[in-house]
Amino acid sequence: MWEYTDKVKELFLKPKNAGELENPDAVGEVGSIVCGDALRLSLKVDKKTDRITDARFQTFGCASAIASSSALTELVKGKTLDEAAKITNRDIADFLGGLPDEKMHCSVMGMEALEDAIRKYRGKPEPVGPSENIVCKCFDVSEEKIRKTALENHLTTVDEITHYTKAGGGCGQCRHDIEEILKDLWASGVPEPKPPEKRKLTNLRKIGLIQEVLEKEIRPRLQADGGDVELVDVDRNRVTVGFRGMCVDCPMGNTTIRGIEERLTEVIGEEIQVVAE
Amino acid sequence: MKTLYLDNNATTRAAPEVVEEMLPYFTDLYGNPSSMHTFGGRVHRRIEEARERVAALIGAEADEIIFTSCGTESDNTALMSAVEAAPERRHVVTTKVEHPAVLNFCRNLGNRGYRVTLLPVDTLGRLEMDTLPGALDHDTAILSVMHANNETGVVFPVEEIGRLARLKGIVFHSDAVQAAGKIPIDVKRLPVDMLSFSGHKLHAPKGVGALYVRRGTRFHPYLIGGHQERGRRAGTENVPYIVGFGKACELAGKNLEQRMTAVSRLRDRLENELLARCPDAMVNGDRGNRLPNTTSISFRYVEGEAILLRLDEYGICASSGSACTSGSLQPSHVLRAMGVPYTAIHGSVRFSLSDYTTAEEIERVIRVVPPVIAELRELSPFGRETLNRRACGPGGEAG
């Protein structure tokens, strides 16, 4: 069974913006029933401002495909086409609080449907030409798509390419070709992974990260010494914690507070202040 | 929420009677059956009793049963033994729809230079019998054909297949993991040299299996070591599980015909109602010749993982042959071998019942599934033109 985040489950069980728009201004389509997932995205665009006023999706696919499609519609609504065009599969995955590696192709499918819709709206011709080199025949994946996805997501292994594009996930005969493409792509050395783009975290995501750091990193260390700490409140960048067990009245309390502060500041990417209740 | 378990071809609940018989062998009767003392000797006797019970389920003699750790080990052992026993033969024959325990073992042999013939099935999942005689030759080391298919439940004519193999002097193995305990098997009538089955498919716990090896069959052990299982499978016996397996086989053999009728009645009710209430649904497999507990139904234009996870919200457990549930990116090799169209293959759901399944549970599934399918179809971009049409059965397009 897949480990889906609560957000994926929520948008799968109660998808937002499902269905079709009447007289849509733009429609993007990607995937096929043979491949096992397909998405049809329809958009309403305000002609004066170029802003997307409404978005709907129809998806054939698994839980994460449906959730990714719903996430996509939530992300594009209210954006101008230029803003929407900057949305990457990573944004869709982040919106969902992450996807299992093997399901990243669902987020890529969302991005592609959006690209297709915007391109059609702007009246640009299909980029697919007869000269296009199809590498994976099982899932009809071109060399161009493999290169683009690898670059955008910093993928270096064939398995990663399979997770993101499905290429190589069928008969497996093209796995060697994918390896060659990756070798060529990263020939000049694999660049350091790009530092995650600075962006304002939603409050929910921020609290989630703070909880995660406390649960997974801080508490086990304190508990090992008979102490403990609990999250009491988060108010903007001020985090209130309560010491428990041996930590209560511990003379090192201040050092512990500074340690938590440093780590949270690092993870959240903003100045975090920690206080004891 | 109550779990409503209709995934008994994946695994079953250990019967309470089985667990009860097992318990003393963890704590009180923990002796090693190979030991010389009375304490160990008592355990040894219980293993031999279990062997008799397991043998009785398939009409075998006790000394024809080797205990293993699972169905996969039994399958691997049978294939390896046959290949090692006839090193001059470099050809193996099996079917396209076998369990991976057989299929991948044969593919491995293929990588080591063996010729591998995979026999095809027809659209109803039945073995294409006319391809069999030509596939067997003087170079064939083993023919391995499953007794019943795990996904569709289709039962293969192993008796006829075995006769053909015997005529040509070829070792015949059958993977009966899904069949044992669900339909009668009698190796006295069945011309099979080796037969694999597993505990956890018939209400014993996971971690124990058996391989039947007919007297006189040349046998090479897979696990090498001590003299356990008369030198045919080394390793200290998994005593509690073997005892439990024995009890489970005894229970599985009791009133088998009546139990088959009861479970097939529930299965048929489920199947007929779902077909009637869900447009564009079809059964995969030969409805006239199946295990009594299994149905594979394809709901066109929706995807299996999505169906399963929506059903999961109601506590209903089933499985699917869709790509997203197969662990690879391709859907079920069984349904593909049958030529099931892709519109249907991704939306396949297998319900597999057991003796514990109740009529109330089936009624609940009948109520829950149709709206789930309808909701997912509302989300799907495909099949809209047929949504309002109440039609069943296989249709046109191929994938």
Side-chain angles (χ1 to χ4, degrees):
Chain A
M1 187 154 182
W2 301 108
E3 290 287 338
Y4 286 134
T5 63
D6 288 343
K7 190 73 183 169
V8 172
K9 285 182 206 155
E10 179 197 323
L11 284 183
F12 162 63
L13 293 172
K14 295 204 164 29
K16 289 183 180 158
N17 314 316
E20 227 173 344
L21 286 171
E22 258 181 63
N23 306 317
D25 297 306
V27 173
E29 286 173 304
V30 64
S32 79
I33 214 159
V34 176
C35 293
D37 41 28
L39 163 58
R40 186 182 151 89
L41 172 75
S42 46
L43 303 175
K44 275 274 182 207
V45 183
D46 184 297
K47 299 224 166 33
K48 282 187 204 126
T49 59
D50 236 14
R51 205 169 279 280
I52 298 169
T53 55
D54 204 359
R56 294 283 162 85
F57 78 91
Q58 289 176 315
T59 292
F60 165 80
C62 57
S64 57
I66 289 170
S68 295
S69 309
S70 187
L72 170 70
T73 55
E74 286 287 280
L75 280 168
V76 299
K77 274 204 284 187
K79 287 201 167 63
T80 64
L81 288 181
D82 283 342
E83 288 165 351
K86 293 199 185 97
I87 292 175
T88 65
N89 68 289
R90 190 52 69 182
D91 294 312
I92 297 171
D94 285 349
F95 185 87
L96 294 168
L99 282 171
D101 286 346
E102 295 86 344
K103 294 285 191 173
M104 284 304 288
H105 59 84
C106 294
S107 67
V108 174
M109 179 170 80
M111 181 182 70
E112 286 181 329
L114 178 62
E115 284 172 359
D116 188 48
I118 295 176
R119 191 180 45 69
K120 281 181 187 155
Y121 180 79
R122 290 178 168 163
K124 291 195 183 154
E126 292 248 357
V128 186
S131 60
E132 196 179 44
N133 178 21
I134 297 298
V135 176
C136 171
K137 292 181 179 66
C138 295
F139 292 109
D140 204 24
V141 186
S142 68
E143 177 168 347
E144 190 197 350
K145 177 170 171 179
I146 291 172
R147 285 177 179 270
K148 180 170 178 287
T149 313
L151 277 173
E152 284 178 357
N153 292 282
H154 197 267
L155 309 180
T156 54
T157 68
V158 179
D159 281 346
E160 284 174 335
I161 294 292
T162 305
H163 294 156
Y164 279 69
T165 67
K166 291 192 179 186
C171 69
Q173 280 181 7
C174 64
R175 287 179 63 87
H176 180 72
D177 299 336
I178 297 173
E179 211 174 317
E180 290 301 314
I181 291 171
L182 287 174
K183 252 189 225 159
D184 177 62
L185 188 65
W186 303 117
S188 50
V190 179
E192 285 295 307
K194 261 194 269 170
E197 232 175 276
K198 275 253 164 136
R199 82 184 68 197
K200 200 124 178 72
L201 290 171
T202 62
N203 251 343
L204 212 62
R205 184 88 184 108
K206 190 190 285 178
I207 295 172
L209 279 172
I210 291 169
Q211 275 174 329
E212 204 178 304
V213 169
L214 282 177
E215 290 300 322
K216 291 201 178 138
E217 300 178 22
I218 312 290
R219 294 190 66 192
R221 259 186 276 156
L222 296 181
Q223 281 164 355
D225 292 329
D228 204 355
V229 69
E230 274 178 17
L231 181 62
V232 176
D233 195 14
V234 180
D235 183 14
R236 297 216 181 91
N237 283 355
R238 186 184 156 96
V239 178
T240 310
V241 297
F243 280 127
R244 305 282 180 261
M246 297 287 278
C247 286
V248 181
D249 301 327
C250 169
M252 298 293 283
N254 249 337
T255 315
T256 311
I257 293 261
R258 294 290 86 78
I260 300 174
E261 217 167 65
E262 242 172 62
R263 181 64 187 138
L264 287 179
T265 300
E266 185 188 334
V267 170
I268 308 291
E270 293 168 36
E271 202 64 41
I272 301 286
Q273 188 197 1
V274 179
V275 292
E277 65 175 346
Chain B
M1 187 175 39
K2 218 174 146 251
T3 297
L4 207 166
Y5 191 76
L6 293 184
D7 202 10
N8 288 281
N9 285 11
T11 193
T12 62
R13 154 194 195 194
E17 303 94 315
V18 167
V19 177
E20 199 187 329
E21 285 222 8
M22 290 170 65
L23 290 178
Y25 297 89
F26 288 103
T27 47
D28 300 332
L29 301 167
Y30 55 83
N32 189 325
S34 300
S35 296
M36 280 302 116
H37 37 70
T38 317
F39 187 59
R42 278 168 70 190
V43 174
H44 175 78
R45 271 195 296 284
R46 287 310 304 270
I47 287 197
E48 293 318 308
E49 265 174 53
R51 199 184 305 282
E52 274 162 29
R53 285 167 156 182
V54 170
L57 180 67
I58 60 166
E61 300 297 330
D63 63 7
E64 294 175 313
I65 297 294
I66 302 170
F67 287 119
T68 65
S69 66
C70 59
T72 295
E73 187 195 324
S74 299
D75 284 334
N76 280 200
T77 303
L79 292 163
M80 199 53 165
S81 170
V83 165
E84 296 231 328
E88 72 288 356
R89 296 185 177 213
R90 306 286 290 172
H91 179 219
V92 292
V93 181
T94 184
T95 78
K96 286 185 173 176
V97 297
E98 291 297 308
H99 188 275
V102 170
L103 208 49
N104 286 339
F105 194 95
C106 290
R107 290 210 178 104
N108 259 8
L109 288 175
N111 294 339
R112 289 168 41 191
Y114 276 77
R115 242 181 340 124
V116 180
T117 302
L118 301 179
L119 302 170
V121 294
D122 67 10
T123 53
L124 292 180
R126 297 172 302 196
L127 199 65
E128 301 264 21
M129 285 297 285
D130 47 350
T131 61
L132 180 58
L136 304 175
D137 56 42
H138 60 277
D139 199 31
T140 310
I142 184 167
L143 166 68
S144 184
V145 177
M146 65 198 333
H147 200 310
N149 185 267
N150 46 317
E151 293 191 31
T152 60
V154 170
V155 178
F156 286 162
V158 276
E159 199 170 328
E160 193 184 336
I161 295 167
R163 268 203 303 274
L164 233 130
R166 192 156 284 182
L167 214 66
K168 300 218 174 191
I170 289 164
V171 173
F172 175 45
H173 164 253
S174 182
D175 172 354
V177 166
Q178 290 295 346
K182 295 188 187 126
I183 53 173
I185 299 175
D186 183 1
V187 293
K188 282 199 227 30
R189 285 193 10 243
L190 204 62
V192 62
D193 300 301
M194 290 185 276
L195 185 122
S196 300
F197 52 119
S198 171
H200 75 109
K201 308 285 193 196
L202 44 81
H203 302 291
K206 297 146 194 71
V208 63
L211 177 64
Y212 158 82
V213 182
R214 185 179 293 279
R215 284 180 188 166
T217 306
R218 286 172 70 191
F219 184 80
H220 281 241
Y222 195 52
L223 288 189
I224 313 286
H227 57 267
Q228 292 89 352
E229 299 296 290
R230 298 196 297 131
R232 294 183 298 177
R233 200 272 188 183
T236 301
E237 297 87 342
N238 187 2
V239 179
Y241 287 71
I242 288 172
V243 170
F245 191 17
K247 182 65 182 175
C249 285
E250 183 192 78
L251 294 173
K254 270 186 190 155
N255 311 318
L256 183 53
E257 304 274 346
Q258 282 124 286
R259 284 172 23 235
M260 283 168 61
T261 312
V263 79
S264 68
R265 199 171 285 153
L266 291 178
R267 188 269 317 269
D268 292 344
R269 160 106 185 131
L270 173 68
E271 191 171 85
N272 290 332
E273 285 299 313
L274 290 184
L275 290 181
R277 293 173 192 221
C278 303
D280 286 317
M282 58 185 258
V283 170
N284 300 310
D286 178 10
R287 296 179 76 176
N289 192 21
R290 276 182 306 173
L291 295 174
N293 77 319
T294 309
T295 174
S296 166
I297 304 180
S298 278
F299 302 95
R300 285 165 179 268
Y301 313 119
V302 286
E303 197 276 337
E305 186 207 285
I307 302 173
L308 294 189
L309 293 188
R310 287 278 176 118
L311 293 183
D312 196 56
E313 288 295 300
Y314 298 89
I316 297 173
C317 310
S319 66
S320 167
S322 85
C324 282
T325 56
S326 67
S328 78
L329 287 168
Q330 284 197 328
S332 150
H333 69 286
V334 175
L335 301 184
R336 274 188 290 147
M338 289 162 62
V340 176
Y342 275 90
T343 45
I345 213 165
H346 286 293
S348 68
V349 177
R350 179 190 70 187
F351 298 101
S352 46
L353 289 62
S354 82
D355 293 338
Y356 294 104
T357 309
T358 65
E360 291 72 38
E361 288 178 322
I362 292 301
E363 293 311 311
R364 179 162 157 76
V365 177
I366 290 168
R367 282 196 306 275
V368 168
V369 172
V372 161
I373 300 297
E375 280 168 31
L376 289 172
R377 280 189 180 153
E378 273 300 313
L379 295 179
S380 173
F382 300 119
R384 313 203 71 75
E385 63 282 2
T386 61
L387 278 185
N388 300 319
R389 183 168 54 83
R390 292 188 68 82
C392 312
E397 85 285 16

